[in-house]
Amino acid sequence: MRIDPWASAQFADYGRLLEEFGIERFEGFELPRPQRLFRRGVVFGHRGFGLIHDSIVNKRPFAILTGLMPSGDMHLGHKMVLDQVMYFHSLGAEVFIAVADIESYATRGVSLERGREIAISQYISSYIALGLRREGCQIYFQSGRREVKDLALLLGRRVNLSAMRAIYGMDDSTNMAHLLSPLVQAGDILHVQLKKYGGPRPTLVPVGVDQDPHIRLSRDIAFAHRLCNVTAARDGRVGVFVKAEEGVEDLLALAEGVAGAAGFRGLRRIPAYRALYIDDATPADVPALDRAMLLEEAGRSPHIFFQPSSTYHRFITGLTGEKMSSSRPETAIFLSDPPEEAARKVMRARTGGAVSVEEQRRVGGRPEECSVYELLLYHLVEDDAELDRIYRSCRSGERLCGACKKEAAELVRRFLVDFQERRAAVGSSWKEYVAEDG
Ligand code: TRP
Ligand code: SF4
């Protein structure tokens, strides 16, 4: 199985994804004031979230980055990533938002001018209307940021064509702009750690699983650029191993300094193995040692990065029961839908109700299979107790689909009326969000 970021297949089998691709289950992290998507298990997986959690707990700087593809109109499915961005922003993350205008051109043929218009009218204005705050937040266009494009070219040194074939299924007919677009995205993800943009620090990229290939690529690239590898062997022995071709002695001395400063005494330098063994360290010491080592390496190379972390959210099912998709308007609630039209879509949505009212009174509904319930859970009902009441009264047969849909439709209508009013008021203030080198 291969994940194709440009296809529109639906991933329903999240368990299999975790196993097959080594995405870790998102559990065991205590978060302050957890946002609804975390409380309700919508965010189900992660890579390297420990680094972010550590930054939150220890109040160390971290960044969050997302990108938007300016091709279709923004719908409720797109809002989920922004909800996460705003949540981590409130916990102190510095926010970067990439307008993927190069990717949109490379993979969908959308011109840069058109991409810019779509980004501003559909996405950026909506983000602001949804409550994205100005401080500590910058939006930029891929085509406008030199460092992103430079990185795309330079990072490519660490990726070969067979990796691109294996990860993305690229072949002889893939156009070169498309072939490069994952590297541009790696540029997005990693450039925030360049000195100019704040230096090396943990960076979170919240995505749907379709974007996981880009995450793996970026993590591999970040790792490949490290000068040293701090790791525990299977027997628990901790060591620093030099990966760089040059300056082995210098880096081993650096490692010795780092380990010494951290209070370790059992240091054995073995230049023939390019290794420094730290006999009194345990595997639990590795993250802190690695972090200290990374920051030292950054003084010797401009391309030292923390491996980016990611979270994965479930996709909301389309209103018709298939995938929510921009190309089939009946499946999604678009933020630009006339509110009455959106309410009608909800009234026509597929539910988890029984074939007749009598039957439903008797056996109850199935909220787990209901696109209306999903809408309530992902977007419309903030209060957990209220959501729980809805769930239980649906299961018991007390709640019937007609009335339930009406309620949801009214919530959607009111949300859109209010949202669209706020979006109209954004006017040209979006400019304040776009960075100078945006
Ligand atoms: N490829 C992403 C999409 O299709 C857009 C994107 C570009 C992105 N750069 C990014 C997403 C960086 C996350 C991080 O939606
Ligand atoms: Fe869905 Fe509501 Fe019907 Fe339950 S009662 S199946 S939640 S529409």
Side-chain angles (χ1 to χ4, degrees):
M1 180 163 83
R2 176 158 57 210
I3 297 175
D4 179 353
W6 298 285
S8 49
Q10 165 87 297
F11 302 104
D13 195 349
Y14 294 107
R16 180 158 166 226
L17 277 164
L18 294 170
E19 272 165 40
E20 198 157 326
F21 291 99
I23 295 172
E24 293 186 66
R25 237 169 252 288
F26 195 95
E27 56 191 14
F29 295 115
E30 278 212 26
L31 291 170
R33 296 173 271 111
Q35 199 267 347
R36 128 182 126 250
L37 299 174
F38 292 94
R39 296 199 306 269
R40 299 176 185 171
V42 176
V43 174
F44 70 93
H46 76 96
R47 289 186 195 274
F49 188 79
L51 272 182
I52 301 299
H53 188 251
D54 176 71
S55 300
I56 294 170
V57 171
N58 296 304
K59 306 211 174 333
R60 277 202 284 256
F62 68 109
I64 184 164
L65 170 116
T66 184
L68 63 94
M69 182 85 146
S71 54
D73 288 359
M74 181 166 171
H75 56 60
L76 277 186
H78 294 117
K79 178 172 165 286
M80 266 191 278
V81 159
L82 187 77
D83 285 336
Q84 287 186 65
V85 167
M86 292 196 297
Y87 168 61
F88 288 106
H89 198 189
S90 78
L91 297 183
E94 206 180 320
V95 174
F96 293 81
I97 296 174
V99 176
D101 58 347
I102 293 183
E103 181 181 1
S104 191
Y105 174 68
T107 64
R108 309 240 160 106
V110 178
S111 71
L112 297 185
E113 296 73 27
R114 179 87 190 105
R116 194 176 177 86
E117 281 165 27
I118 298 174
I120 294 165
S121 65
Q122 279 291 319
Y123 292 85
I124 301 178
S125 306
S126 299
Y127 291 5
I128 298 170
L130 288 169
L132 182 67
R133 312 272 304 253
R134 170 72 194 84
E135 316 80 66
C137 165
Q138 53 176 297
I139 301 176
Y140 71 90
F141 292 75
Q142 285 176 332
S143 64
R145 191 160 273 193
R146 212 197 79 193
E147 288 77 6
V148 169
K149 292 183 282 190
D150 284 355
L151 273 184
L153 296 177
L154 298 173
L155 300 173
R157 179 163 159 72
R158 298 293 184 168
V159 187
N160 61 31
L161 194 51
S162 75
M164 297 307 270
R165 286 182 200 274
I167 300 175
Y168 297 103
M170 296 187 172
D171 60 29
D172 289 1
S173 70
T174 306
N175 79 64
M176 291 303 295
H178 188 160
L179 187 67
L180 273 180
S181 66
L183 290 170
V184 179
Q185 183 154 345
D188 285 327
I189 293 174
L190 298 175
H191 91 283
V192 308
Q193 297 191 59
L194 296 176
K195 205 177 204 171
K196 177 171 174 190
Y197 297 99
R201 62 207 183 293
T203 305
L204 179 63
V205 190
V207 292
V209 276
D210 61 308
Q211 297 293 303
D212 187 50
H214 299 310
I215 300 292
R216 276 182 290 150
L217 182 75
S218 303
R219 285 173 63 84
D220 288 351
I221 289 174
F223 183 74
H225 282 79
R226 286 290 302 275
L227 305 178
C228 298
N229 182 16
V230 185
T231 181
R234 221 171 291 158
D235 61 5
R237 244 190 336 169
V238 174
V240 179
F241 301 90
V242 175
K243 302 196 298 173
E245 297 297 324
E246 283 155 34
V248 178
E249 287 290 338
D250 167 52
L251 287 164
L252 287 178
L254 192 70
E256 217 169 281
V258 163
F264 295 105
R265 292 293 168 258
L267 311 181
R268 278 185 300 122
R269 213 202 276 201
I270 308 183
Y273 294 172
R274 305 163 149 250
L276 174 80
Y277 290 103
I278 310 172
D279 292 335
D280 49 345
T282 69
D285 297 316
V286 168
L289 277 167
D290 188 45
R291 183 169 193 288
M293 203 57 213
L294 184 151
L295 295 174
E296 289 296 329
E297 288 173 32
R300 285 171 167 64
S301 158
H303 293 153
I304 298 296
F305 311 102
F306 283 92
Q307 283 190 298
S309 311
S310 53
T311 55
Y312 303 88
H313 60 74
R314 286 171 205 276
F315 287 110
I316 187 163
T317 315
L319 295 169
T320 52
E322 313 137 272
K323 186 192 150 81
M324 187 172 276
S325 160
S326 301
S327 52
R328 274 169 306 150
E330 71 282 8
T331 63
I333 306 283
F334 290 91
L335 294 182
S336 298
D337 275 346
E340 303 297 340
E341 171 58 25
R344 275 195 294 275
K345 287 186 193 176
V346 175
M347 291 309 291
R348 286 195 296 261
R350 209 182 79 168
T351 73
V355 288
S356 67
V357 169
E358 297 72 41
E359 176 80 355
Q360 189 158 348
R361 286 268 184 238
R362 205 161 52 75
V363 302
R366 293 183 311 275
E368 304 79 2
E369 293 163 34
C370 175
S371 65
V372 176
Y373 182 74
E374 256 188 316
L375 214 48
L376 299 171
L377 178 138
Y378 282 58
H379 295 292
L380 298 172
V381 177
E382 185 56 42
D383 181 20
D384 289 348
E386 187 186 341
L387 187 72
D388 190 54
R389 271 197 300 280
I390 295 173
Y391 181 86
R392 278 183 291 129
S393 61
C394 168
R395 288 293 300 262
S396 72
E398 204 179 309
R399 193 178 176 89
L400 294 176
C401 295
C404 183
K405 282 198 283 192
K406 230 187 206 158
E407 226 177 87
E410 178 55 17
L411 286 174
V412 165
R413 197 190 62 78
R414 278 215 306 261
F415 167 78
L416 284 179
V417 167
D418 180 56
F419 164 79
Q420 288 172 3
E421 214 167 88
R422 271 181 288 134
R423 189 169 68 181
V426 167
S428 60
S429 66
W430 59 268
K431 289 182 183 149
E432 295 160 24
Y433 287 70
V434 176
E436 241 164 68
D437 62 340

